[in-house]
């Protein structure tokens, strides 16, 4: 699942069973506040003291109330101590009352946690169009604010899920001048994953100290290559956000770009995001395949990405992958639906190391061998446009009976 | 299924069991030439004498060889006598040899039919990336050229299908100055239906005489409101074309726009296209629902259409429709993924006559009543952006286990 195998990677150690609370100074708590039937549905991620926080948010025009409120908070203050997360209700399309409920959640959280209101962010995930039950939220705040612990990360990773099957969490560390720098994160998402300068719900923390300007840069660049390059179904969520918080607890400070420290940290952050993304795609609803679509030779990165997503979001291609049928014509048709001009006579397509198209036309290949490659859980396609240096790698999955079942009869899973 | 109920409609009569050969002067033949296992897979649509023909073609960058060859033919000559159609092999992504095979088909057809080469068009549908077997094509040409009949329309409507379940055919007539003007057509398509100034495969004929310039206008305008407003899966085909041929056999000539005759004819053509489109959507692979999405109040027609298609192509929305679950948040999320700015606080959404969103936020409604509406085969949603006069109506269907099955295990259906 690595996008890179830079030497720098050797400096970084993955922590076994690592999660967000592996990062020193990060406390979490979670509980069942009653929005959902039984599953835990409420969490607090808490980092006391001075922090810096950056966020990227969904570009959906129906951005949910917690997205609007958290964006507004972050716009004026980067010292964030608490993220309040509920699952089950998205608090999207809820109008003025939805905003008020998100603001009341912020206010109550500040009171229960004894921190300034401006230091609180909120995130929600779940069904659109329902108002948050503030009494249940208050119950969650009351319970969780008195049960914060640095050992609760794993439970919190579970509590933020909706109908994801598996929690997504990871932590890494590297040593710098005798100090250990940690980066740890959790995420949720298995459906409505087609971000656009935004991500699925994810919260990442580090004990490095990083100026807000650099933090923004690190988050945007790493999210762009990871969260913005996955798609499970082409559907964009109203609630997506990725937050990155640095508490400086390690004593290590990143003050400048392109230093050794900056570069190690950036790779580490990239690896954390990449890992969370791979887990989101692997847990795509009903998915049986994880498909990496590499697009090279495009005129630029955006062209590569758009073409990769055309393929990733073709449900005919996804269905062929489920059926383990090397029906590559569906890849060609998807590429061909790209709006701008492309020179189709230069395009090569390979599945693994088997070319199925060269210079825009079919080539003889051993179909049985190709279909055998499709029996693996991990499948790779290479599309080369042979027209420039633009590159992208899109991670997606197949579409299955199970996806239809889960999403046709969603209410029954709640 | 009517987009209009103009008074003019009363002047037009639908012909029972009407098809393309209902139009006087149109002959067809079809046979099993051997590309597919058993089903008829080869046809000729033949209109002897002087004709005028217009066409719209897929904008897919991997446009198939028959699309390229037919476009080239039509660019220099509008007197088309024969359309040669095969199903089973798309002749797409077949390079120079694919073009040569399409050209050889044109040449052989001209010989067997005794007509000039420039009067022949070709169309193919089926699997991408395979070369046409010219011996089988020649067998088909030989057989069909000697079996042309004005009673074969229904068989031809079946022979052009791939894995569509039902043939799509219709014919209408109206009287003008004591003469009967007929319009009849056939179409195929149940998957990869997301045209873009192009259509699924369709062939329509009329016995009116119409100048090529007016014919172009009529075809473009009517196709734009019909074939360009349906989507079964958001996947664009490499082979789509819609051809309209006028043989003038009725003696009635349309020479000017906006005359009474022009307007009746235009409505008739519109009704024919609309009927074929409804049949394509109803026959969408595995579909159990036909969903009309009306978007009004957009700033212009294109905005209305883009937003309608965002909803129509959301597989989460399609899955909810299959599950008969009024999960309208998925409609909002799809609208919100529109790239340009929209004022979400003005948007109303209704299912039938039940409002589920007003001014961008959820409203109280009887969910049971709404879910009851979803039990019908025909479902209607109204989205009002309340921001202008732009209007569009998109016809789509749901996504089901059957769609996945058919397209995952496509090879087995061949």
């Amino acid at each position: 699942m690595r996008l890179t195998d830079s030497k720098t990677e050797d400096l970084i150690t993955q922590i076994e069973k690592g999660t967000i609370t592996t990062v020193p100074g990060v406390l979490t708590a979670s509980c069942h506040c009653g929005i959902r039937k039984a599953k835990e549905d409420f969490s607090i991620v808490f980092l006391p003291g001075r922090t810096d926080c950056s966020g990227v948010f969904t570009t959906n025009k129906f951005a949910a109330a917690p997205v609007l409120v958290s964006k507004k908070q972050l716009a004026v203050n980067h010292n964030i101590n608490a993220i309040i997360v509920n699952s089950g209700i998205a608090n999207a399309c809820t109008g003025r009352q939805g905003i008020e409920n998100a603001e009341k959640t912020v206010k109550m959280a500040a009171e229960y946690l004894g921190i300034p209101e401006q230091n609180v962010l909120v995130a929600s995930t779940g069904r659109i169009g329902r108002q948050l039950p503030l009494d249940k939220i208050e119950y969650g705040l009351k319970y969780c604010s008195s049960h914060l612990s640095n050992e609760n990360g794993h439970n919190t990773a579970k509590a933020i899920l909706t109908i994801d099957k598996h929690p997504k969490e990871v932590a890494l560390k590297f040593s710098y001048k005798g100090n250990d720098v940690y980066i740890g994160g959790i995420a949720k998402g298995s459906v409505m994953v087609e971000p656009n300068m935004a991500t699925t719900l994810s919260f990442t923390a580090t004990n490095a100290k990083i100026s807000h300007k650099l933090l923004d840069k690190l988050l945007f660049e790493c999210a762009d290559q990871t969260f913005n390059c996955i798609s499970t179904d082409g559907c964009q969520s109203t609630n997506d956000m990725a937050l990155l918080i640095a508490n400086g607890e390690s004593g290590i400070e990143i003050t400048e770009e392109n230093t050794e420290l900056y570069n190690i940290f950036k790779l580490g952050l990239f690896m954390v995001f990449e890992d969370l993304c791979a887990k989101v795609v692997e847990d795509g609803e009903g998915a049986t395949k994880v498909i990496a679509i590499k697009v090279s030779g495009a005129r630029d990165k955006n062209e590569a990405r758009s073409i990769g997503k055309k393929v990733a979001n073709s449900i005919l291609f996804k269905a062929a992958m489920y059926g383990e049928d090397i029906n590559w014509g569906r890849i060609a048709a998807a590429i061909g639906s790209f709006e701008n001009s492309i020179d189709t006579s230069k395009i090569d397509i390979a599945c693994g190391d088997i070319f199925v198209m060269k210079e825009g036309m079919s080539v003889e290949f051993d179909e049985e061998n190709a279909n055998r490659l499709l029996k693996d859980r991990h499948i790779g396609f290479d599309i080369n446009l042979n027209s420039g240096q633009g590159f992208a790698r899109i991670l997606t999955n197949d579409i299955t009976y199970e996806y239809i079942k889960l999403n046709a009869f969603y209410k029954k899973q709640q």
Side-chain angles (χ1 to χ4, degrees), chain A:
Chain A
M1 279 297 120
R2 289 282 163 268
L3 285 177
T4 167
D5 24 36
S6 154
K7 279 278 170 194
T8 316
E9 226 177 288
D10 299 340
L11 304 172
I12 298 170
T13 313
Q14 179 146 358
I15 314 286
E16 207 182 330
K17 296 189 180 170
T19 183
I20 191 163
T21 47
T22 305
V23 180
V26 180
L27 307 171
T28 71
S30 61
C31 70
H32 176 240
C33 80
I35 294 176
R36 301 188 55 171
K37 274 178 205 154
K39 193 191 146 302
E40 292 207 337
D41 50 11
F42 188 88
S43 325
I44 297 181
V45 175
F46 189 67
L47 291 88
R50 169 71 211 170
T51 76
D52 279 284
C53 178
S54 287
V56 283
F57 298 88
T58 183
T59 52
N60 194 294
K61 306 302 183 292
F62 271 111
V67 168
L68 300 176
V69 168
S70 291
K71 271 176 95 164
K72 206 172 155 192
Q73 295 276 88
L74 258 187
V76 292
N77 172 43
H78 310 305
N79 185 11
I80 298 302
N81 297 125
I83 311 165
I84 313 303
V85 196
N86 75 276
S87 82
I89 287 182
N91 193 5
C93 303
T94 45
R96 186 64 225 156
Q97 197 192 328
I99 298 279
E100 278 171 21
N101 288 348
E103 286 169 346
K104 278 182 192 159
T105 304
V106 165
K107 205 178 163 71
M108 287 194 291
E111 280 166 22
Y112 278 105
L113 293 162
I115 54 174
E117 278 180 38
Q118 65 265 34
N119 294 13
V120 179
L121 301 183
V122 283
S124 299
T125 175
R127 189 139 173 156
I128 293 170
R130 294 190 180 155
Q131 297 292 350
L132 275 186
L134 283 186
D135 54 337
K136 291 174 180 171
I137 295 290
E138 181 162 15
Y139 171 85
L141 284 168
K142 194 171 174 180
Y143 179 89
C144 286
S145 59
S146 61
H147 287 79
L148 290 165
S149 151
N150 62 356
E151 291 184 347
N152 276 342
H154 185 64
N155 282 340
T156 305
K158 283 198 283 186
I160 65 171
L161 305 179
T162 48
I163 49 175
D164 309 41
K165 278 190 185 150
H166 306 288
K168 287 101 191 164
E169 51 191 332
V170 64
L172 309 172
K173 72 166 183 176
F174 65 89
S175 283
Y176 189 79
K177 295 192 175 168
N179 291 310
D180 284 335
V181 175
Y182 288 83
I183 312 170
I186 57 176
K188 74 129 273 173
S190 58
V191 71
M192 268 197 183
V193 175
E194 156 73 71
N196 193 6
M197 258 328 280
T199 74
T200 184
L201 225 56
S202 83
F203 312 113
T204 300
T206 178
N207 63 341
K209 182 168 166 58
I210 311 174
S211 75
H212 181 249
K213 203 178 138 201
L214 281 190
L215 204 66
D216 267 355
K217 197 174 161 63
L218 285 161
L219 174 62
F220 294 165
E221 285 185 7
C222 290
D224 191 50
Q225 298 291 316
T226 53
F227 288 112
N228 274 353
C229 286
I230 59 174
S231 180
T232 65
D233 54 9
C235 293
Q236 193 194 44
S237 160
T238 49
N239 286 62
D240 288 344
M241 65 173 79
L243 301 173
L244 170 61
I245 309 186
N247 68 7
E249 185 274 356
S250 65
I252 297 296
E253 183 169 1
I254 305 176
T255 52
E256 260 182 284
E257 260 184 85
N258 300 325
T259 57
E260 188 196 5
L261 175 61
Y262 179 90
N263 290 337
I264 303 174
F265 184 87
K266 185 174 172 183
L267 180 62
L269 184 64
F270 184 81
M271 286 164 71
V272 163
F273 284 180
E274 191 189 34
D275 185 276
L276 294 174
C277 282
K279 284 170 178 156
V280 166
V281 172
E282 289 196 33
D283 201 19
E285 283 182 348
T288 68
K289 307 286 179 190
V290 179
I291 308 156
I293 301 167
K294 266 172 40 185
V295 182
S296 58
R299 279 168 296 197
D300 57 36
K301 182 187 80 175
N302 291 332
E303 183 177 90
R305 188 176 295 186
S306 298
I307 286 172
K309 283 201 177 170
K310 288 273 177 195
V311 177
N313 291 333
S314 158
I315 51 178
L316 286 175
F317 165 70
K318 283 174 180 293
M321 292 302 99
Y322 176 47
E324 300 175 345
D325 173 13
I326 184 76
N327 194 343
W328 61 267
R330 292 177 179 172
I331 300 180
I335 296 171
S337 71
F338 182 59
E339 296 75 13
N340 301 330
S341 71
I342 40 170
D343 185 348
T344 56
S345 73
K346 287 183 175 173
I347 300 177
D348 302 333
I349 304 174
C351 174
D353 53 2
I354 299 174
F355 277 93
V356 294
M357 173 188 268
K358 271 192 178 171
E359 297 182 348
M361 70 174 282
S362 59
V363 286
E364 290 285 327
F365 66 95
D366 185 336
E367 215 166 300
E368 260 182 54
N369 259 341
N371 284 338
R372 217 170 356 247
L373 289 179
L374 302 185
K375 293 199 181 304
D376 284 351
R377 181 163 167 76
H378 290 267
I379 299 173
F381 281 94
D382 277 277
I383 297 166
N384 194 335
L385 302 174
N386 290 305
S387 296
Q389 299 299 315
F391 176 83
R393 179 173 174 278
I394 307 295
L395 219 51
T396 188
N397 44 29
D398 56 339
I399 187 167
T400 67
Y401 299 140
E402 189 68 11
Y403 179 96
I404 303 298
K405 185 179 161 192
L406 284 166
N407 290 298
F409 309 106
Y410 175 75
K411 260 196 306 196
K412 291 179 190 156
Q413 338 277 326
Q414 285 295 285

